[in-house]
Amino acid sequence: GFDPPHQSDTRTIYIANRFPQHGHYVPQKFVDNRIISSKYTVWNFVPKNLFEQFRRVANFYFLIIFLVQLMIDTPTSPITSGLPLFFVITVTAIKQGYEDWLRHKADNEVNGAPVYVVRSGGLVKTRSKNIRVGDIVRVAKDETFPVDLVLLSSDRIDGSCHVTTASLDGETNLKTHVAVPETAVLQSVANLDKLVAVIECQQPEADLYRFVGRITVSQQTEEIVRPLGPESLLLRGARLKNTKEIFGVAVYTGMETKMALNYKSKSQKRSAVEKSMNSFLIIYLIILLFEAILSTILKYAWQAEEKWDEPWYNEKTEHERNSSKILRFISDFLAFLVLYNFIIPISLYVTVEMQKFLGSFFIGWDLDLYHEETNQRAQVNTSDLNEELGQVEYVFTDKTGTLTENEMQFRECSINGIKYQEVNGKLTPEGFTEDSPDGNRHSLMKEEELFLKAVCLCHTVQINADQTDGADGPWHANGIASPLEYYASSPDEKALVEAASRVGVVFTGTSGDSMEVKSLGKSERYKLLHVLEFDPNRRRMSVIVESPSGEKLLFTKGAESSILPRSKSGEIDKTRIHVDEFALKGLRTLCVAYRRFTPEEYQEIGKRLHEARTALQQREERLADVFNFIERDLELLGATGVEDKLQEKVQETIEALRLAGIKVWVLTGDKHETAVSVSLSCGHFHRTMNILELVQHKSDSTCAEQLRQLAKRIKEDHVIQHGLVVDGTSLSLALREHEKLFMEVCKNCSAVLCCRMAPLQKAKVVRLLKTSPEKPITLAIGDGANDVSMIQEAHVGIGIMGKEGRQAVRNSDYAIARFKFLSKLLFVHGHLYYIRIATLVQYFFYKNVCFITPQFLYQFFCLFSQQTLYDSVYLTLYNICFTSLPVLIYSLFEQHVHPHVLQSKPVLYRDISKNAHLGFKPFLYWTILGFFHAFVFFYGSYLLMGEDTSLLGNGQMFGNWTFGTLVFTVMVITVTMKMALETHFWTWINHFVTWGSIVFYFIFSLFYGGIIWPFLHTQDMYFVFVQLLSSGSAWFAIILIVVACLFLDVVKKVLYRHLQPTSTEKAQLTEAGSGINCLDSMCCFSDGETACTSVRRMLERLMGRCSPSRVNRSWSSSDPFYANDRSILTLSTMDSPTC
């Protein structure tokens, strides 16, 4: 986050802005309540955008060339570089302006939301952006808080309210906040209007869990001072639950709210491809400078001879003779620079921009990424990163709501050593069937009833206040309960209480200090004596109640590791086995136990508890001792298994990511055990993995020691896979001093799980990996506002449109509705975008080398007089018209492998990892190919046509323009055909633009050369093209040269494919063998199959005879696939009978 500039350490807030009347009071200045996530304003758009665009090497370079052309006499007109530059700048600016306008729209929606504020004795409706610090704001049930408020009062007498902070820290449970007693009684607008109070608190900071302040309330004559802590601060972005309305005073507004301070400022993300492009540009600049300097030197070397310096037909003027040598040299050098400048492709940037912008629509249109239940489709917020989706090496994911549905469901329980499941609202022991004689039991056995009562009493669940008891309570006449609406601070408890109520023991609420339970329609009232709260060290919670019969009971529930050792009776061993079985299924387990007290024991306990609770020194330690004294000699009742439902296909997705060579890290705010159990159930950790732990370290030294041991262990048994579990506190210690060691351990683990993480810690972990020496490409995916900083830090941020607000979606680069869509997004969209843009970039450099090298070679034949080979119209239009569309259409529609195959074989993703297609080797290949083709164009034309002069029917000679046009014609055809060779996926649009470009060139040339254009100052091209085409030998030369260029290319492709096919090319074969309708990815080539068999099978396939039974399910052993990949031949839902 950022620290706002404040002079003093505290701020003083006068409630309802009642400033003191006397004395010289200068009110502090506070920011308004607007949230700003956009980059530009109307005023700074033009200068800021231009500055950002000219930071790009190519744009800046073209600006310089344009200025040079304006200043000196150059061979080509300034329009040749000015026009394309203007076009590029405008298109890019429009695109970026549109994206920023969308951000403005989203901000305005938030800032313009209606809120109610208390002003001059009444409620006034205003917009969210108009709230000032000191205003009293009213918030109703289920609304989100528009600012950070200090709670003044609620509709409850005690001034308490319940809040869920899901969109801030990912916790869905209810938190209770309380107001100070002096203001809690002011429940009406009129009373609040009379309140005179001052709040002093710290200046804003990013920590969600810290708030220090005090409130001074003036009543009649005295001033009452009360402390304020985090329990009285309601944060912007949190939601009010289970409370009709609250009043609070705004303390932090706008960009100073804790939510906004937890955002990282949005920096411009740039993809790896763009970085490669810049380095290629620099190489080409060097080639350009080399060519220009060489030409200039050769020109002067040549002119050293008298006869060439001033031939008889070209005498110099006085002015030329007297001008200085150095100036002439510089101007010649600049002229060559301008002549060759087209080797740097300016339209590359605009084509890439268009490709990204238009290509991003495909993600939104993809029906596989559309989620029907919520009617949400994938959304693209930044189109600059499409190809980065194909380069991901690390995925950082949040757990709650991203991997899971965030809905707990009761699955099974173990009571008294017997396993039960819930069947149609009845507890059924395992092995019972409905129709067995005993299957239809209505009553519960004693142990079962006691167990369910324990579940119903030992919790902190509340009931929705709206459901008051009618005459019959919540029971209908037929004895079936209408479901009560429960609220709980932990979703597990809610699931358990709901399950108990379905089975027949219903918790119907608390009144005063008693809890009511209805067991099979019979109401019982238990008096609540003490609650021993849950804490992470004890890992259990207890209640002490007095039953209707007067005996004192203790009910305890908690993790098995904290309950079983303290139990002395009950089916301990059987329950332990059951708990392990539940955990293996990925259920969250809790054990339940109880203890009866004799009156003497109870008195002793009461006394000890009172002493510990009122102690001033070491209160925590004392309480812990007393709790341990109370919770012992327990009788075990049983255990429960609750499932946090994983989203569908999470396991398959994580497995697929792993096959694709992507490492998955789970970063969550959850408890250690929960996180581990979900990790196991979603396949992030395997059962066979060796799980290493780095948790609960308080000091630097122990943490370092543990890290060293882990590193040693990994070195010793490197055969098995390791998983690492880290918690927030240990992580911050590890990052402080021992980053290198920690990274070393992490990189050797195949899965890492970080639990108990604060939002900014998540971002720190991502940054740590991002900046490590290998510089891997990272992707973060999450659904709550607690994931925003991580989403903004990673190279690619993905928001999940979950239950937790839209914060993550608004700040992400891409948004999808479910985690399972990630595989399609990366393996299909990412893969295809990367291939498309990689080819696009290389091809652009290639066609510009083809374009300018003949110009360079031509200088050797024209005494380096800077004569251009091509007409200036051709120079301008080559990149804009003649060769631009085929490559743009290719970069939008190309699918070199069928998407279905890409998704079902995640291993293909490894083929493009680490920017493989834009490495130095492919770049070198394309560049050399460009030079080779250019030499063939030039010398081919020269040998075939240059020496024989009278090739026209009437005996006329060829001129230099005819020669240049011949080279240009051959070039346009070859370059377009080369693109056609690269294309695997032909649509009618591809055909149209490919052949259309060649036809357009011919029609344009005939038209351009067939008319005398009045506004051109030279008519060099008049009738040149028509004459060229009227010569038969010219046609012959064109065909011969084009074939010569492309023949070698085709041969190379064929040989490479047969001798050293990549796995992608094998997949293309698979797909080609799978015919038109039958796209089952299971039909792979079997070992030792001849070419004829594959042809035969293809014919059978085409004739519709593909029988699923004969489908051959084997990889060939030479495939570079990994041993464990054989299990997953297809992850898609496609079934073979569709053949």
Side-chain angles (χ1 to χ4, degrees):
F2 57 92
D3 291 322
H6 289 296
Q7 292 76 37
S8 64
D9 295 338
T10 60
R11 51 168 63 186
T12 308
I13 297 147
Y14 292 88
I15 292 184
N17 294 315
R18 289 203 177 78
F19 303 119
Q21 299 303 316
H22 48 275
H24 303 286
Y25 171 69
V26 181
Q28 283 172 296
K29 282 267 186 290
F30 301 119
V31 297
D32 61 6
N33 196 32
R34 275 185 316 199
I35 288 282
I36 301 163
S37 66
S38 53
K39 242 174 33 184
Y40 305 110
T41 62
V42 177
W43 309 115
N44 72 10
F45 177 70
V46 174
K48 198 170 171 183
N49 189 274
L50 285 180
F51 170 71
E52 278 183 3
Q53 290 208 52
F54 283 118
R55 271 169 43 190
R56 287 185 158 168
V57 184
N59 291 351
F60 186 65
Y61 159 80
F62 267 90
L63 184 67
I64 302 286
I65 290 287
F66 178 59
L67 296 175
V68 167
Q69 278 177 308
L70 288 177
M71 287 185 300
I72 66 167
D73 176 29
T74 56
T76 54
S77 92
I79 297 175
T80 52
S81 58
L83 193 72
L85 180 69
F86 176 73
F87 180 61
V88 170
I89 297 288
T90 320
V91 171
T92 314
I94 290 171
K95 171 184 166 270
Q96 289 180 342
Y98 171 71
E99 286 184 352
D100 205 59
W101 176 75
L102 289 180
R103 281 191 213 110
H104 271 284
K105 223 171 82 174
D107 286 347
N108 291 343
E109 211 173 291
V110 175
N111 295 333
V115 290
Y116 287 96
V117 178
V118 178
R119 295 230 170 106
S120 54
L123 268 186
V124 181
K125 185 176 180 177
T126 177
R127 289 172 182 276
S128 165
K129 62 181 177 194
N130 300 333
I131 299 178
R132 296 169 310 197
V133 172
D135 278 345
I136 298 178
V137 182
R138 188 199 79 153
V139 179
K141 181 178 173 182
D142 285 335
E143 286 179 9
T144 51
F145 300 115
V147 287
D148 287 358
L149 302 165
V150 164
L151 180 60
L152 293 177
S153 67
S154 72
D155 63 331
R156 297 205 178 93
I157 309 289
D158 58 355
S160 67
C161 72
H162 299 291
V163 168
T164 161
T165 55
S167 76
L168 292 170
D169 55 10
E171 295 186 22
T172 48
N173 49 21
L174 290 186
K175 298 186 171 57
T176 308
H177 289 262
V178 286
V180 297
E182 280 70 30
T183 62
V185 294
L186 310 171
Q187 290 180 315
S188 69
V189 177
N191 292 346
L192 279 169
D193 203 44
K194 300 191 188 100
L195 171 68
V196 178
V198 182
I199 292 177
E200 286 165 87
C201 62
Q202 63 189 113
Q203 292 292 10
E205 61 162 13
D207 189 341
L208 295 174
Y209 310 108
R210 261 196 69 194
F211 177 66
V212 182
R214 61 171 188 226
I215 182 167
T216 311
V217 184
S218 314
Q219 288 186 342
Q220 284 95 33
T221 51
E222 55 175 345
E223 290 195 341
I224 301 164
V225 180
R226 295 272 182 183
L228 295 174
E231 72 288 334
S232 43
L233 184 70
L234 306 169
L235 301 179
R236 174 174 191 144
R239 213 173 256 278
L240 183 65
K241 289 277 184 192
N242 207 0
T243 313
K244 279 209 188 84
E245 60 171 18
I246 63 108
F247 290 99
V249 56
V251 286
Y252 304 132
T253 48
M255 299 308 282
E256 293 185 339
T257 55
K258 289 189 183 286
M259 181 176 96
L261 292 178
N262 266 291
Y263 287 171
K264 290 187 65 290
S265 53
K266 201 155 179 121
S267 61
Q268 194 66 43
K269 293 184 180 179
R270 289 173 57 215
S271 70
V273 170
E274 198 171 314
K275 290 168 193 159
S276 322
M277 253 160 62
N278 282 349
S279 47
F280 293 163
L281 276 175
I282 289 164
I283 295 174
Y284 271 79
L285 268 175
I286 294 167
I287 296 178
L288 170 74
L289 290 171
F290 169 73
E291 286 186 354
I293 292 170
L294 185 69
S295 302
T296 318
I297 292 171
L298 285 173
K299 175 174 182 168
Y300 282 92
W302 210 255
Q303 288 182 354
E305 281 184 62
E306 191 58 39
K307 61 171 184 176
W308 292 123
D309 184 30
E310 195 175 351
W312 55 270
Y313 55 82
N314 191 7
E315 289 188 5
K316 292 182 179 176
T317 58
E318 273 307 304
H319 177 67
E320 282 178 337
R321 285 207 184 95
N322 301 336
S323 61
S324 99
K325 270 277 173 62
I326 295 178
L327 275 177
R328 281 221 312 271
F329 186 88
I330 290 173
S331 100
D332 273 329
F333 170 69
L334 288 175
F336 278 119
L337 206 59
V338 168
L339 191 63
Y340 303 148
N341 84 61
F342 282 91
I343 198 168
I344 305 287
I346 184 163
S347 49
L348 169 61
Y349 273 114
V350 77
T351 313
V352 167
E353 289 285 346
M354 297 204 5
Q355 188 264 348
K356 288 180 171 180
F357 183 62
L358 296 171
S360 61
F361 287 111
F362 289 111
I363 293 179
W365 291 334
D366 189 342
L367 282 178
D368 291 344
L369 301 181
Y370 168 76
H371 191 240
E372 238 172 274
E373 290 99 83
T374 51
N375 184 24
Q376 282 164 333
R377 56 182 194 180
Q379 185 177 314
V380 180
N381 299 334
T382 320
S383 57
D384 290 344
L385 300 169
N386 295 339
E387 66 279 1
E388 205 80 326
L389 291 169
Q391 294 295 299
V392 177
E393 292 169 64
Y394 281 87
V395 168
F396 297 92
T397 161
D398 175 40
K399 182 189 74 69
T400 318
T402 305
L403 299 177
T404 63
E405 289 280 14
N406 213 348
E407 288 172 12
M408 303 294 173
Q409 286 186 336
F410 173 77
R411 281 282 168 248
E412 40 191 320
C413 60
S414 152
I415 306 175
N416 207 14
I418 305 169
K419 269 208 288 195
Y420 289 83
Q421 275 157 343
E422 187 191 338
V423 180
N424 303 335
K426 293 194 194 73
L427 266 192
T428 317
E430 222 176 26
F432 262 122
T433 53
E434 276 297 314
D435 45 54
S436 62
D438 199 20
N440 206 0
R441 310 172 305 151
H442 269 303
S443 61
L444 294 164
M445 283 150 63
K446 197 170 113 249
E447 294 93 350
E448 296 171 10
E449 195 176 351
L450 189 59
F451 173 82
L452 290 168
K453 278 183 186 161
V455 168
C456 277
L457 293 169
C458 183
H459 59 68
T460 53
V461 177
Q462 271 131 3
I463 287 185
N464 190 345
D466 301 348
Q467 294 181 326
T468 47
D469 290 53
D472 201 21
W475 289 80
H476 294 309
N478 56 7
I480 299 170
S482 72
L484 288 159
E485 203 183 332
Y486 293 116
Y487 281 99
S489 63
S490 104
D492 300 64
E493 288 191 339
K494 183 179 167 192
L496 288 175
V497 173
E498 282 173 348
S501 76
R502 289 197 299 271
V503 177
V505 179
V506 188
F507 166 62
T508 56
T510 52
S511 51
D513 59 353
S514 65
M515 302 172 84
E516 263 190 57
V517 172
K518 276 195 170 146
S519 172
L520 297 177
K522 198 165 83 256
S523 188
E524 296 180 0
R525 193 168 279 228
Y526 287 81
K527 190 172 175 204
L528 183 62
L529 303 168
H530 297 283
V531 178
L532 317 187
E533 296 84 2
F534 177 88
D535 69 62
N537 299 333
R538 264 177 45 246
R539 297 185 31 215
R540 56 183 181 271
M541 77 152 286
S542 309
V543 292
I544 301 177
V545 294
E546 187 180 327
S547 68
S549 59
E551 61 180 340
K552 311 278 195 295
L553 299 170
L554 165 89
F555 288 115
T556 304
K557 75 165 192 283
E560 82 277 9
S561 54
S562 64
I563 300 269
L564 296 177
R566 307 185 150 267
S567 309
K568 60 162 203 231
S569 58
E571 299 280 355
I572 297 174
D573 296 334
K574 279 189 188 166
T575 308
R576 184 175 278 126
I577 293 166
H578 289 171
V579 166
D580 291 345
E581 283 173 13
F582 293 164
L584 280 174
K585 294 179 185 169
L587 302 181
R588 304 161 66 124
T589 55
L590 288 172
C591 288
V592 183
Y594 83 117
R595 177 183 175 187
R596 286 191 165 84
F597 294 125
T598 62
E600 296 78 41
E601 282 176 325
Y602 178 70
Q603 258 175 334
E604 163 79 355
I605 284 166
K607 196 169 99 229
R608 283 200 180 193
L609 262 177
H610 184 71
E611 279 171 13
R613 284 211 160 123
T614 50
L616 289 175
Q617 268 82 38
Q618 297 171 329
R619 183 181 294 177
E620 269 97 16
E621 289 84 347
R622 285 186 165 198
L623 272 174
D625 292 344
V626 179
F627 288 173
N628 280 335
F629 170 72
I630 299 172
E631 298 165 330
R632 60 195 176 117
D633 304 340
L634 303 171
E635 272 184 62
L636 187 65
L637 287 168
T640 61
V642 173
E643 177 181 41
D644 181 357
K645 219 164 100 209
L646 280 178
Q647 288 189 15
E648 52 181 341
K649 296 248 174 84
V650 163
Q651 245 170 318
E652 290 91 330
T653 308
I654 288 184
E655 189 53 47
L657 289 173
R658 191 169 285 141
L659 289 184
I662 298 173
K663 288 196 169 177
V664 182
W665 287 38
V666 177
L667 311 179
T668 171
D670 253 6
K671 297 202 292 286
H672 176 182
E673 295 77 34
T674 316
V676 172
S677 88
V678 172
S679 260
L680 284 166
S681 64
C682 73
H684 176 234
F685 281 172
H686 282 303
R687 301 278 160 217
T688 51
M689 256 184 209
N690 178 15
I691 294 182
L692 312 169
E693 295 196 341
L694 180 68
V695 287
Q696 289 179 345
H697 286 291
K698 298 283 188 290
S699 74
D700 221 13
S701 49
T702 57
C703 182
E705 181 50 40
Q706 175 77 1
L707 267 172
R708 282 189 205 95
Q709 281 181 338
L710 293 180
K712 204 169 103 200
R713 271 184 65 184
I714 291 175
K715 278 203 185 74
E716 281 163 7
D717 39 3
H718 48 84
V719 187
I720 48 174
Q721 293 184 315
H722 297 278
L724 176 69
V725 185
V726 194
D727 65 0
T729 46
S730 315
L731 184 81
S732 47
L733 288 172
L735 294 189
R736 206 176 302 153
E737 301 286 324
H738 319 285
E739 259 188 41
K740 272 219 176 88
L741 190 58
F742 178 64
M743 283 308 302
E744 194 56 38
V745 172
C746 288
K747 281 193 183 131
N748 291 322
C749 292
S750 45
V752 181
L753 167 67
C754 307
C755 46
R756 282 271 169 239
M757 302 279 283
L760 280 173
Q761 263 183 327
K762 291 186 178 184
K764 267 190 190 142
V765 173
V766 177
R767 186 177 323 129
L768 178 71
L769 263 159
K770 215 168 93 168
T771 52
S772 66
E774 287 89 68
K775 301 251 183 306
I777 304 289
T778 56
L779 175 146
I781 176 167
D783 68 326
N786 57 323
D787 306 315
V788 167
S789 44
M790 155 174 101
I791 285 174
Q792 289 182 344
E793 181 62 57
H795 292 98
V796 185
I798 296 190
I800 294 248
M801 311 176 195
K803 298 191 170 64
E804 302 189 359
R806 311 293 286 176
Q807 242 70 53
V809 173
R810 273 223 303 282
N811 286 279
S812 63
D813 304 310
Y814 300 91
I816 50 181
R818 284 283 177 271
F819 183 77
K820 64 173 179 186
F821 295 153
L822 188 63
S823 62
K824 170 105 195 231
L825 196 63
L826 298 184
F827 303 155
V828 179
H829 289 288
H831 196 129
L832 293 177
Y833 281 129
Y834 176 71
I835 294 285
R836 288 165 186 168
I837 202 148
T839 312
L840 169 81
V841 170
Q842 310 269 29
Y843 174 77
F844 249 95
F845 284 117
Y846 153 79
K847 75 178 178 141
N848 282 53
V849 169
C850 288
F851 180 40
I852 281 308
T853 311
Q855 178 88 297
F856 173 63
L857 296 173
Y858 185 55
Q859 297 305 307
F860 287 88
F861 291 83
C862 68
L863 265 187
F864 297 96
S865 59
Q866 294 136 18
Q867 168 61 33
T868 101
L869 177 62
Y870 319 116
D871 184 69
S872 63
V873 171
Y874 283 160
L875 273 175
T876 310
L877 293 184
Y878 174 72
N879 272 326
I880 293 182
C881 292
F882 300 145
T883 58
S884 59
L885 275 177
V887 67
L888 177 66
I889 296 301
Y890 166 90
S891 67
L892 288 174
F893 296 134
E894 172 66 357
Q895 298 177 4
H896 62 305
V897 180
H898 192 280
H900 175 73
V901 179
L902 281 179
Q903 196 171 359
S904 55
K905 291 190 186 164
V907 181
L908 298 179
Y909 194 77
R910 295 180 188 231
D911 277 7
I912 57 166
S913 63
K914 300 247 192 303
N915 209 355
H917 287 234
L918 279 176
F920 194 63
K921 270 163 109 178
F923 172 67
L924 207 61
Y925 165 70
W926 279 93
T927 306
I928 290 171
L929 186 74
F931 278 115
F932 165 69
H933 281 185
F935 274 83
V936 177
F937 300 153
F938 186 81
Y939 285 109
S941 306
Y942 182 70
L943 292 173
L944 290 170
M945 310 286 294
E947 295 296 298
D948 303 341
T949 43
S950 55
L951 275 175
L952 302 175
N954 57 4
Q956 272 185 339
M957 288 188 173
F958 253 15
N960 68 324
W961 292 116
T962 320
F963 177 70
T965 310
L966 176 66
V967 174
F968 194 82
T969 309
V970 172
M971 178 170 63
V972 169
I973 296 174
T974 309
V975 165
T976 309
M977 295 295 293
K978 171 68 184 157
M979 188 76 262
L981 279 181
E982 290 299 308
T983 309
H984 291 95
F985 186 73
W986 285 89
T987 61
W988 66 267
I989 305 182
N990 290 74
H991 283 294
F992 179 72
V993 296
T994 304
W995 315 120
S997 287
I998 297 175
V999 172
F1000 172 74
Y1001 165 69
F1002 277 94
I1003 292 173
F1004 174 83
S1005 298
L1006 288 169
F1007 187 60
Y1008 171 59
I1011 299 174
I1012 292 184
W1013 297 97
F1015 53 82
L1016 292 177
H1017 53 81
T1018 58
Q1019 299 295 338
D1020 294 329
M1021 297 300 289
Y1022 182 62
F1023 236 65
V1024 166
F1025 198 68
V1026 185
Q1027 281 188 326
L1028 177 72
L1029 294 189
S1030 67
S1031 155
S1033 45
W1035 281 100
F1036 176 68
I1038 290 173
I1039 293 167
L1040 196 67
I1041 297 171
V1042 171
V1043 171
C1045 281
L1046 295 175
F1047 179 69
L1048 282 172
D1049 215 37
V1050 175
V1051 171
K1052 179 211 158 247
K1053 272 184 186 264
V1054 172
L1055 284 176
Y1056 262 83
R1057 268 181 171 266
H1058 273 265
L1059 301 175
Q1060 283 186 315
T1062 61
S1063 39
T1064 309
E1065 287 165 355
K1066 287 184 185 167
Q1068 289 169 346
L1069 285 175
T1070 313
E1071 179 197 330
S1074 59
I1076 315 287
N1077 291 325
C1078 188
L1079 275 173
D1080 51 352
S1081 57
M1082 303 163 292
C1083 306
C1084 303
F1085 277 42
S1086 61
D1087 294 316
E1089 194 175 76
T1090 62
C1092 309
T1093 5
S1094 58
V1095 173
R1096 192 191 71 218
R1097 201 170 62 214
M1098 189 166 95
L1099 288 172
E1100 282 186 355
R1101 230 12 110 68
L1102 288 170
M1103 292 156 64
R1105 287 207 206 134
C1106 166
S1107 71
S1109 55
R1110 273 201 315 227
V1111 167
N1112 209 324
R1113 277 180 168 243
S1114 67
W1115 299 102
S1116 81
S1117 47
S1118 58
D1119 277 9
F1121 291 150
Y1122 303 84
N1124 60 347
D1125 296 354
R1126 298 182 181 234
S1127 54
I1128 302 206
L1129 280 165
T1130 172
L1131 290 174
S1132 72
T1133 51
M1134 195 122 181
D1135 48 352
S1136 45
T1138 50
C1139 306

